[in-house]
Amino acid sequence: MDSWNAIFGEKGKVFTKPHRDMEDIVNLLKERNAKRILDLGCGTGRHLIYFANQGFEVYGLDAAINAIEIARKWVAENNLNCNLMIHRMEEKFPYEDSFFDAVISIQVIHHNKIKEIKFTIREIKRVLKPNGLIFITVPISKLSSKNNHPNFEKIEKGTYLPLSGPEKGLLHHFFTEREIYKFFKGFDIKKIYLDRTKHRAILGFKK
Ligand SMILES: C[S@@+](CC[C@H](N)C(=O)[O-])C[C@H]1O[C@@H](n2cnc3c(N)ncnc32)[C@H](O)[C@@H]1O
């Protein structure tokens, strides 16, 4: 986690434009009359700004202090209002049950081991209203299971620790599509597809 904090401390806003499919998600949310949204692992806030500008009540949490500080500034500069918190996703979320109409999480939940990821998914479900929407993206693995990868330490099945590079020391779990259906069994998964950044995007609704 320190590495993301360090990345934001050094580079500031790493991502500035919203995910390319977010416009479709906003349209879907408006059709459903959704009001309150959680951006889980909001980073420096590109989606906080995007959703707040569309009139949604927006909440964000992230473990990186630098990210939340930058996001707070960015939100204020735009005369917007968001509820932001420094919090780790493997700890109970600081919200009541059935609080949100939607939870979005872009390139975040894979930064843990399987046990913690399952906990995070249970928390996403808990804080969502019945039939609430999820839009979540995770990376696909570039590693083949047959070879040894000198730059990655294998921690458990599908979970690796990069030993060099900007994400050194930051856990990565690479989901298989089957695993996604299994881990998200409490959700009605509408589609899983490769987005334009070659991440797996998951769209679903709480059962
Ligand atoms: C690739 S960045 C994506 C940021 C943001 N979702 C976006 O799309 O701009 C990953 C984010 O996950 C956050 N993160 C990583 N591990 C976390 C954890 N255990 N709890 C909460 N946030 C975490 C990082 O601080 C970072 O902001």
Side-chain angles (χ1 to χ4, degrees):
M1 179 62 260
D2 273 350
S3 58
W4 268 111
N5 201 41
I7 292 169
F8 294 130
E10 195 185 310
K11 299 199 171 142
K13 291 172 199 158
V14 180
F15 306 100
T16 50
K17 297 215 171 81
H19 185 284
R20 295 275 288 278
D21 300 338
M22 220 41 105
E23 198 180 327
D24 294 342
I25 300 298
V26 163
N27 291 337
L28 201 53
L29 291 173
K30 286 186 176 165
E31 268 170 35
R32 298 165 66 85
N33 207 18
K35 305 250 175 308
R36 199 181 282 149
I37 297 175
L38 172 63
D39 183 357
L40 177 66
C42 59
T44 53
R46 58 177 172 154
H47 297 115
L48 303 172
I49 302 281
Y50 187 67
F51 282 103
N53 264 326
Q54 312 267 345
F56 292 100
E57 186 185 327
V58 185
Y59 289 68
L61 64 79
D62 200 287
I65 299 171
N66 287 332
I68 293 291
E69 276 179 3
I70 294 168
R72 282 211 170 103
K73 233 174 116 194
W74 197 7
V75 166
E77 280 161 11
N78 283 273
N79 293 318
L80 295 167
N81 218 330
C82 295
N83 298 273
L84 303 183
M85 266 192 208
I86 299 161
H87 192 85
R88 299 190 66 83
M89 63 185 163
E90 60 274 23
E91 288 166 13
K92 188 177 180 199
F93 295 0
Y95 316 108
E96 294 162 24
D97 297 359
S98 306
F99 192 62
F100 293 104
D101 296 298
V103 175
I104 66 140
S105 187
I106 306 302
Q107 301 175 34
V108 178
I109 68 159
H110 62 287
H111 284 313
N112 251 327
K113 291 203 270 184
I114 292 172
K115 185 169 172 243
E116 284 74 24
I117 291 171
K118 285 183 171 169
F119 176 84
T120 297
I121 296 171
R122 283 200 299 277
E123 279 297 279
I124 292 173
K125 189 169 179 210
R126 181 184 67 76
V127 301
L128 264 177
K129 291 179 186 166
N131 208 24
L133 177 149
I134 51 166
F135 182 62
I136 293 172
T137 73
V138 290
I140 52 166
S141 177
K142 295 181 193 83
L143 313 175
S144 90
S145 53
K146 292 191 188 78
N147 302 331
N148 284 327
H149 301 277
N151 290 327
F152 289 86
E153 183 189 340
K154 185 171 179 180
I155 303 295
E156 63 184 357
K157 197 167 177 237
T159 309
Y160 296 84
L161 205 54
L163 299 173
S164 60
E167 293 190 286
K168 181 179 168 189
L170 189 57
L171 285 168
H172 281 63
H173 181 74
F174 297 113
F175 293 84
T176 61
E177 196 165 319
R178 213 162 141 220
E179 233 176 0
I180 294 175
Y181 281 109
K182 204 167 139 203
F183 290 6
F184 285 89
K185 63 179 184 303
F187 296 81
D188 181 11
I189 298 300
K190 286 291 171 212
K191 60 177 173 177
I192 300 176
Y193 63 95
L194 267 196
D195 70 12
R196 274 168 278 196
T197 63
K198 299 256 180 317
H199 285 74
R200 267 204 183 98
I202 308 161
L203 174 68
F205 301 95
K206 175 171 161 174
K207 276 184 186 163

